Amino acid sequence: MGRFDLTMVARGRTLNMPVAALTRATAVIVAVMAALGAGRAVAAEPVYDPPVGSRWVVVSEIRGEETRPDGSTTSVVRTRAELTVDEKTADGFRISWVQRGATVEGNARNLSLRRAYAGVLENVVIRASTDSAGKPLRIDNLDEARVAMRRSADGLAAQFAEMPSARGLFDQLISELTEVDAAGAASAYVDALAVLAVAHNTGMKPGEFRWTSKPAENPLGGDALISNERFELTEADAAGRLTFVSVTSIDAASRSDFMQSFAKSLLAASGDSVTPARIDLLVKSMVFSFDKRAEFEVEDGMTRKVSEKSTTVFRGMEQNLIQTEARTIAVTRAP
């Protein structure tokens, strides 16, 4: 049997290598790669298990920008809260959450209203039960928290005494905030904990990713949309430090359904005939997109930092809008 040669290119030179030699070389390369991989030991994912009695400082910042043809507006909302792990239960934890500071800056519309609303939770003690990953399930002292928030709101409302429209909107917001049930209040009062819990107890390995579809708030208002999220464990080391990346976009079919419904309502409001041809023409003239990327940095089983950025784009009906929002959440051990 004759000897077969294979041609390879190395550093610009063409080499003829016998099959046997190529096999030996491949085996060496595989062995080296395996040795290098073995040298990068990866620890098992640490379980979320903060010590009972431990105290944590959670600092959040949301930077928003809205750009239209006539200019742009910006806002920066910063909050500082204290998280205390009060008790470990059979299926999770009981925690206390207190907002200790909130500032709102920028030139966005209704800035004074947003500043007042952000201050309603100031120094209000929220006691909540969470699952084993730290996701809040319900507020345990809901009646007590409602009373404290209404008292806070009464003091803040005085600044709108000569602005009846702003006062009406403020009262509406407070009503919505204080009339949610115990489960809804968990996401309204301690939403940062729900975001942090996303990267806890995932059971994932490096390079593994998951696809999920779930309802998402419509940035343009109206019925909820369906979002598709790709969640991946991108980095892990022997010390138990993990990095997760989440990428979210609106489901194409959901976006199409919304655009069709939106076009129908616009045509009806303008008095034009609502026909399939007119609807399709209007939909094709509009652009709507929403994309979000978030990165989670986890140490010892607890998310220590979240960096998130979302972008919403809408063009059509003589409107041109771009909204961006950058959110960070940082968690540190209280001194």
Side-chain angles (χ1 to χ4, degrees), residues 41-122:
V42 176
E45 178 186 15
V47 175
Y48 176 76
D49 191 19
V52 172
S54 61
R55 296 172 56 249
W56 306 84
V57 176
V58 182
V59 177
S60 302
E61 179 183 274
I62 301 176
R63 291 181 173 270
E65 182 175 7
E66 183 175 294
T67 303
R68 298 175 183 269
D70 57 350
S72 63
T73 58
T74 61
S75 64
V76 182
V77 180
R78 299 185 181 92
T79 60
R80 178 183 179 277
E82 296 174 0
L83 167 66
T84 303
V85 181
D86 296 322
E87 181 184 350
K88 185 172 183 179
T89 64
D91 54 0
F93 300 87
R94 289 195 176 95
I95 61 92
S96 297
W97 174 275
V98 187
Q99 180 179 294
R100 294 301 189 190
T103 62
V104 180
E105 303 170 350
N107 63 346
R109 293 170 294 176
N110 298 321
L111 204 64
S112 60
L113 184 65
R114 297 174 65 178
R115 188 176 290 118
Y117 183 75
V120 169
L121 286 169
E122 196 86 355

Side-chain angles (χ1 to χ4, degrees), residues 205-219:
K205 298 178 181 179
E208 182 180 348
F209 64 87
R210 296 171 179 169
W211 281 101
T212 57
S213 295
K214 55 187 176 183
E217 182 180 356
N218 190 330

Side-chain angles (χ1 to χ4, degrees), residues 39-273:
R40 293 193 298 270
V42 176
E45 178 186 15
V47 175
Y48 176 76
D49 191 19
V52 172
S54 61
R55 296 172 56 249
W56 306 84
V57 176
V58 182
V59 177
S60 302
E61 179 183 274
I62 301 176
R63 291 181 173 270
E65 182 175 7
E66 183 175 294
T67 303
R68 298 175 183 269
D70 57 350
S72 63
T73 58
T74 61
S75 64
V76 182
V77 180
R78 299 185 181 92
T79 60
R80 178 183 179 277
E82 296 174 0
L83 167 66
T84 303
V85 181
D86 296 322
E87 181 184 350
K88 185 172 183 179
T89 64
D91 54 0
F93 300 87
R94 289 195 176 95
I95 61 92
S96 297
W97 174 275
V98 187
Q99 180 179 294
R100 294 301 189 190
T103 62
V104 180
E105 303 170 350
N107 63 346
R109 293 170 294 176
N110 298 321
L111 204 64
S112 60
L113 184 65
R114 297 174 65 178
R115 188 176 290 118
Y117 183 75
V120 169
L121 286 169
E122 196 86 355
N123 298 318
V124 176
V125 178
I126 305 294
R127 304 190 190 282
S129 293
T130 78
D131 65 11
S132 59
K135 179 182 177 180
L137 302 175
R138 62 185 176 276
I139 303 300
D140 298 327
N141 66 332
L142 184 56
D143 291 339
E144 175 189 339
R146 284 171 171 167
V147 170
M149 283 186 282
R150 289 185 181 119
R151 186 185 305 118
S152 176
D154 288 342
L156 292 165
Q159 62 188 289
F160 304 117
E162 299 181 3
M163 296 179 285
S165 60
R167 173 60 189 267
L169 183 54
F170 181 71
D171 289 344
Q172 179 183 340
L173 292 171
I174 298 306
S175 177
E176 294 174 355
L177 184 67
T178 57
E179 291 177 7
V180 294
D181 58 21
S187 59
Y189 301 169
V190 287
D191 67 305
L193 292 183
V195 176
L196 295 169
V198 167
H200 294 161
N201 300 354
T202 67
M204 297 173 68
K205 298 178 181 179
E208 182 180 348
F209 64 87
R210 296 171 179 169
W211 281 101
T212 57
S213 295
K214 55 187 176 183
E217 182 180 356
N218 190 330
L220 297 181
D223 295 337
L225 298 168
I226 300 299
S227 67
N228 294 327
E229 178 190 17
R230 187 182 193 275
F231 185 71
E232 180 181 4
L233 174 54
T234 58
E235 295 181 27
D237 64 18
R241 291 186 292 263
L242 312 175
T243 300
F244 295 87
V245 173
S246 165
V247 179
T248 303
S249 60
I250 298 299
D251 178 76
S254 177
R255 181 176 60 232
S256 177
D257 290 343
F258 166 71
M259 295 295 280
Q260 291 280 330
S261 175
F262 188 50
K264 288 180 183 178
S265 63
L266 289 176
L267 289 171
S270 65
D272 290 341
S273 58

